[in-house]
Amino acid sequence: MAGATRTRTHAAALLYALAFQLLARASSSTAAAASSPPAAEARALLRWKSTLPPPPRSTTAPLSSWSPATAACASWAGVTCGADGRVAAVVLPGAGLAAGGTLAGLDHLAALPALAFLNLSGNGLAGAIPAAAVSSLTSLVSLDLSNNALSGGIPPALGTLPELRVLVLRDNPLGGAIPAALGRLRALERLDLQAAGLVSTLPPEMGNMASLTFLDLSANNISGGLPPAFAGMRKMGEFYLSRNRLSGTIPPEIFNNWPDLTLLYLHYNSFTGTIPPEIGEAKKLRRLSLLSNNLTGVISAEIGGLASLQMLHLGQNCLTGPIPLSLGNLTQLVILVLSFNNLTGMVPAEIGRLTVLQDLDLNNNQLEGELPETLNSFVGTVPDLANRKLVSVELYGNSFSGGFPLSLCQLTSLEILDLSSNQLSGQLPSCIWDLQDLTFMDLSSNALSGDVLASPNSNLSLEALHLANNRFTGGFPSIIQYLKMLSVLDLGGNSFSGEIPSWIGSRLPLLRFLRLRSNMFSGSIPLQLLQLSHLQLLDLASNNLDGHIPHGLTNLTSMIRPQTELNMRSTVRHQILHLEANFYYANRVYVNWKMQTYEFQGAIALMTGIDLSGNSIGGEIPTELTNLQGLRFLNLSRNYLSGTIPENIGDLKLLESLDLSWNELSGHIPSGISELISLSSLNLSSNTLSGEIPTGKQLQTLADPSIYSNNFGLCGSPLSVSCPNGSSVQILDRSKEFEGLCVYYYYSIIAGAVFGLWLWLGSLVFFAPWRISFLYYIDFIHRKLVR
């Protein structure tokens, strides 16, 4: 599971509150200004309306209320006037004005000298921003052209608007560079250029915007460094530079000069160097995200002085050293993510003070220590987490040891628990099944042992359960029958025994991935498995199963059609910090195909296959198996399957890996096997197949003769055995003749051995001198050995 990544939304309400406050101010300040009469302003608006493309006939014209017969200030949609009757605002967000239209007609708005607010966001407008028209609106306080299709870059002329306080151009393919002229906007308070297609560096002149409180340049193609001159933005509160290509160090000056900083998002860049200790000066900081950079050194202990911090995300860097004890002072912390670093040592007990923590992610570090059965008197690497509001606990990929902490059972809000790839031992407590909100649990690759104890609860919401590669014993865990929402079940690599229960088909109706390989399950494959219509991965390899492959495979409808969507749930959504937050988890499933083991995460949703290898399954391969045309791999090797390879094997067009080796299959190889156009791994060795090997198409790329070895009746390329002229029937007859000859010699050898043995033993029985000499020799050898 990779570390958790968060989404955010902007406080639009605050923007509009600011807008109307500024509107009132602008209306009063322009009362005495010289301007055109209201009638002239109405005509200017009607001329601008005439430049917009007509709406589709099936829709109502968005500006139908704009008519010469009515007063602009009284009844025109989106038009607001000041106390003097002059137009002060045109606010038409998402009005459907001009899908595919342009802003060229804005020239007519130059006749509105009192216009303070212009909002045309979300109208599908294209083309360039007309620089001359916009620069003539000298009273403009707020300009919002976001969420359109505007191009042609940001006009430097915008830097000439002396009253501008809000500039929002986000979500447009504007392109080009950030004009240094924007630095002249000394009154600007909010600048939002997110996802504007900018290819630029950061002009140091922007540091002159001393009134700026909000800056969002995220999701662009901005490179270079973060200029120290930005420290001149002394009123900065929210600073977004994430998802760019910025590099260099983080200037410590910004923390010394931004006392009102509450949010700093620099994630998904390439910043280097250490986290400046000066960060401790930003006392009002509530959210800090430095995720996915190249930061080195230790975590600054000064971060522990940020008493208001609610989110600390330092994952996916190169940080080293211990987790500072001072983090225990962050009692307002809700999200703590330190994953994918090189942190060492133990998690300090002081973390136990974080009573409002909801997301703890320490995975993929080098943390160590013991996880005691109770964390109330913490001595290990994880604090006392009891009675916390944790939604997600991700500690995988470390070196935690000791038993499973019982205090985790008290996290009643827990939905994601990932302790995989550690060194936990002992028994899994039954109380873990009392966590009714738990959606994902991964305890794989530890040393947990014993039976999986049940605590029956019919309301469990678990969707993914990973217990693979531990030391669990006992029968198939009975608790699983209560997990009715289960989609992924991985019990592979343990010592479970007994039969696979028949209830698995009826109690787990949503199961998509069933992996039971490398256990000691016995008995036959339950027919009820075929009730799992959503099943797309069935791995029962390396057990003690016998019987036959059940008939009715066509009931596995998800194996019949190809999987084309990444439709596996991998997030849990929650309202955290007044935002919609996504908690990510990873369904890591190991699949053995193409003679190797691969780890699949998100792509597992596209994987469809069956692996029954390494058992004692007999009988014939059901011909209906060829109806499962969504299969990408099929492994039936190392069993006792007999009969022939199904003639319609070529119908499995998506099959990439086919292994039928080490069985007792006979007859010819169907010519249709050459129709497997996706096949890249094939193994038919060690059977009793005969006849000429098919050629053509994809088979031409599989030239390794070992894939057909130990089939004495086969001939043709890529084997060195050439086929004689004639039909394959002759080859089959010769094979049978050779087989009969082998049987004759086999029995002759056995008869000779038996006759010789009795001849020798008979001499000892019936001739006393020979018998006495033989026994004397045995006694002599025994005495020498004793000495």
Side-chain angles (χ1 to χ4, degrees):
M1 188 127 287
T5 306
R6 310 293 180 260
T7 61
R8 62 174 177 80
T9 58
H10 294 296
L14 294 176
L15 173 60
Y16 284 109
L18 172 65
F20 284 107
Q21 180 182 3
L22 295 172
L23 173 61
R25 187 191 310 172
S27 299
S28 60
S29 64
T30 56
S35 61
S36 301
E41 293 186 352
R43 288 193 296 271
L45 288 173
L46 289 174
R47 285 196 299 272
W48 174 62
K49 173 186 174 183
S50 68
T51 66
L52 300 175
R57 293 182 179 179
S58 59
T59 61
T60 303
L63 301 182
S64 58
S65 62
W66 289 23
S67 169
T70 58
C73 296
S75 56
W76 286 14
V79 176
T80 303
C81 298
D84 57 357
R86 294 181 173 86
V87 175
V90 177
V91 180
L92 295 166
L97 292 181
T102 69
L103 291 174
L106 282 180
D107 291 336
H108 299 292
L109 297 187
L112 308 177
L115 186 66
F117 298 91
L118 179 60
N119 186 340
L120 302 178
S121 62
N123 280 292
L125 296 165
I129 300 173
V134 173
S135 62
S136 66
L137 302 174
T138 55
S139 296
L140 206 59
V141 172
S142 176
L143 175 62
D144 188 346
L145 302 177
S146 63
N147 195 24
N148 283 292
L150 301 174
S151 57
I154 301 173
L158 288 175
T160 64
L161 300 177
E163 301 296 325
L164 197 63
R165 287 172 171 77
V166 176
L167 177 58
V168 183
L169 304 177
R170 63 180 291 155
D171 297 317
N172 280 290
L174 285 166
I178 301 173
L182 293 184
R184 303 174 191 167
L185 299 174
R186 303 296 178 87
L188 196 67
E189 298 173 10
R190 185 182 186 94
L191 176 59
D192 191 344
L193 304 178
Q194 182 194 114
L198 303 176
V199 182
S200 178
T201 58
L202 294 175
E205 291 83 355
M206 292 180 69
N208 297 325
M209 293 188 286
S211 300
L212 205 62
T213 63
F214 178 101
L215 176 63
D216 192 345
L217 300 176
S218 58
N220 283 289
N221 192 11
I222 301 174
S223 57
L226 176 55
F230 273 39
M233 304 174 180
R234 295 182 179 273
K235 294 185 179 180
M236 180 56 61
E238 297 185 24
F239 190 74
Y240 302 86
L241 278 181
S242 58
R243 300 182 185 278
N244 281 288
R245 295 191 300 114
L246 291 159
S247 57
T249 60
I250 301 173
E253 295 90 339
I254 63 176
F255 302 112
N256 292 328
N257 292 277
W258 292 357
D260 295 322
L261 186 66
T262 60
L263 185 149
L264 179 63
Y265 280 2
L266 301 180
H267 51 267
Y268 292 112
N269 279 287
S270 299
F271 286 111
T272 56
T274 61
I275 301 174
E278 288 81 0
I279 197 170
E281 298 297 320
K283 299 297 183 183
K284 295 182 181 179
L285 195 61
R286 294 200 301 269
R287 301 178 197 174
L288 173 62
S289 179
L290 304 178
L291 163 73
S292 192
N293 280 282
N294 298 316
L295 299 173
T296 56
V298 300
I299 299 174
S300 298
E302 287 77 6
I303 290 178
L306 304 176
S308 300
L309 204 62
Q310 298 173 321
M311 183 186 81
L312 177 59
H313 205 321
L314 305 179
Q316 299 180 42
N317 280 285
C318 304
L319 299 172
T320 57
I323 298 174
L325 306 182
S326 60
L327 294 192
N329 298 328
L330 305 177
T331 55
Q332 302 301 313
L333 207 59
V334 176
I335 298 171
L336 175 59
V337 180
L338 306 178
S339 56
F340 290 94
N341 281 288
N342 296 310
L343 302 176
T344 56
M346 295 183 176
V347 178
E350 287 77 4
I351 298 296
R353 302 173 188 164
L354 309 183
T355 56
V356 296
L357 200 64
Q358 295 186 44
D359 182 13
L360 175 63
D361 188 349
L362 306 178
N363 70 69
N364 279 283
N365 280 286
Q366 300 176 33
L367 301 169
E368 58 187 359
E370 183 179 348
L371 286 173
E373 291 186 5
T374 174
L375 301 178
N376 294 324
S377 55
F378 177 75
V379 296
T381 59
V382 175
D384 178 6
L385 303 177
N387 302 316
R388 303 295 187 258
K389 299 178 181 180
L390 279 165
V391 173
S392 174
V393 174
E394 298 179 69
L395 307 177
Y396 71 87
N398 285 286
S399 299
F400 296 137
S401 58
F404 189 93
L406 289 172
S407 61
L408 289 174
C409 297
Q410 302 177 38
L411 303 179
T412 54
S413 299
L414 197 63
E415 297 191 34
I416 299 173
L417 175 61
D418 194 341
L419 303 179
S420 61
S421 298
N422 281 286
Q423 299 170 17
L424 300 178
S425 58
Q427 196 165 35
L428 180 65
S430 60
C431 63
I432 196 66
W433 308 112
D434 294 332
L435 300 178
Q436 297 186 21
D437 292 334
L438 198 61
T439 298
F440 174 88
M441 182 163 71
D442 192 345
L443 306 178
S444 58
S445 299
N446 279 284
L448 297 169
S449 59
D451 294 357
V452 176
L453 302 177
S455 176
N457 190 322
S458 59
N459 296 319
L460 292 172
S461 56
L462 205 61
E463 296 178 11
L465 176 61
H466 298 262
L467 300 179
N469 302 322
N470 279 284
R471 301 171 185 172
F472 289 117
T473 56
F476 195 95
S478 61
I479 186 63
I480 292 175
Q481 64 185 305
Y482 300 101
L483 310 181
K484 297 179 181 179
M485 304 299 294
L486 206 61
S487 175
V488 179
L489 176 60
D490 189 354
L491 304 180
N494 283 287
S495 297
F496 290 115
S497 58
E499 296 187 352
I500 300 173
S502 59
W503 50 254
I504 197 171
S506 58
R507 297 293 185 93
L508 307 177
L510 303 180
L511 199 62
R512 293 177 59 180
F513 301 92
L514 177 60
R515 186 175 183 269
L516 306 180
R517 71 178 298 122
S518 301
N519 279 284
M520 296 187 291
F521 289 115
S522 58
S524 58
I525 301 173
L527 182 63
Q528 291 80 357
L529 272 181
L530 303 182
Q531 299 176 26
L532 300 173
S533 59
H534 296 283
L535 195 66
Q536 62 187 74
L537 177 65
L538 176 62
D539 189 348
L540 306 180
S542 301
N543 280 284
N544 300 318
L545 301 174
D546 53 25
H548 301 103
I549 300 175
H551 290 275
L553 293 169
T554 51
N555 293 329
L556 302 175
T557 53
S558 290
M559 294 188 181
I560 293 176
R561 57 182 181 273
Q563 301 296 322
T564 58
E565 298 181 4
L566 294 171
N567 55 357
M568 284 200 68
R569 183 181 177 192
S570 60
T571 59
V572 170
R573 291 191 175 184
H574 267 276
Q575 278 279 345
I576 293 186
L577 302 179
H578 309 291
L579 298 174
E580 280 289 337
N582 288 338
F583 294 90
Y584 290 87
Y585 57 86
N587 272 305
R588 293 176 291 272
V589 178
Y590 291 89
V591 175
N592 292 66
W593 74 324
K594 300 183 181 181
M595 301 183 184
Q596 295 187 46
T597 300
Y598 293 87
E599 178 186 319
F600 287 86
Q601 289 193 21
I604 190 64
L606 304 178
M607 179 55 65
T608 305
I610 296 176
D611 191 343
L612 305 179
S613 62
N615 284 287
S616 300
I617 301 171
E620 297 187 353
I621 301 175
T623 55
E624 61 186 359
L625 188 146
T626 59
N627 293 324
L628 306 182
Q629 297 181 18
L631 289 180
R632 296 185 182 275
F633 74 91
L634 175 62
N635 191 345
L636 305 178
S637 64
R638 293 177 286 117
N639 280 288
Y640 297 103
L641 296 170
S642 57
T644 60
I645 300 174
E647 288 291 332
N648 294 333
I649 193 73
D651 291 346
L652 303 178
K653 302 296 185 183
L654 296 180
L655 204 64
E656 298 180 41
S657 179
L658 174 62
D659 192 344
L660 303 178
S661 63
W662 291 97
N663 279 288
E664 299 172 359
L665 299 173
S666 58
H668 67 281
I669 301 175
S671 59
I673 202 168
S674 62
E675 301 296 324
L676 299 178
I677 56 177
S678 301
L679 197 65
S680 60
S681 177
L682 174 66
N683 193 352
L684 302 179
S685 65
S686 301
N687 282 284
T688 57
L689 300 170
S690 58
E692 186 173 0
I693 297 172
T695 58
K697 298 185 179 178
Q698 188 66 12
L699 286 183
Q700 296 298 103
T701 65
L702 304 174
D704 184 358
S706 67
I707 64 179
Y708 302 106
S709 63
N710 296 326
N711 287 281
F712 295 109
L714 288 178
C715 63
S717 177
L719 295 177
S720 58
V721 180
S722 59
C723 295
N725 295 331
S727 67
S728 59
V729 176
Q730 294 175 334
I731 301 297
L732 181 60
D733 291 341
R734 185 167 300 178
S735 174
K736 289 183 177 178
E737 180 181 347
F738 176 78
E739 184 178 359
L741 187 61
C742 289
V743 171
Y744 172 79
Y745 280 116
Y746 175 77
Y747 285 115
S748 298
I749 292 171
I750 291 178
V754 171
F755 177 77
L757 180 62
W758 276 107
L759 182 63
W760 184 70
L761 290 175
S763 300
L764 296 179
V765 172
F766 296 107
F767 294 97
W770 287 22
R771 182 170 66 250
I772 293 170
S773 298
F774 176 76
L775 294 176
Y776 178 82
Y777 178 76
I778 293 297
D779 187 61
F780 172 77
I781 295 297
H782 176 263
R783 286 197 301 270
K784 289 199 66 171
L785 291 174
V786 171
R787 290 179 184 177

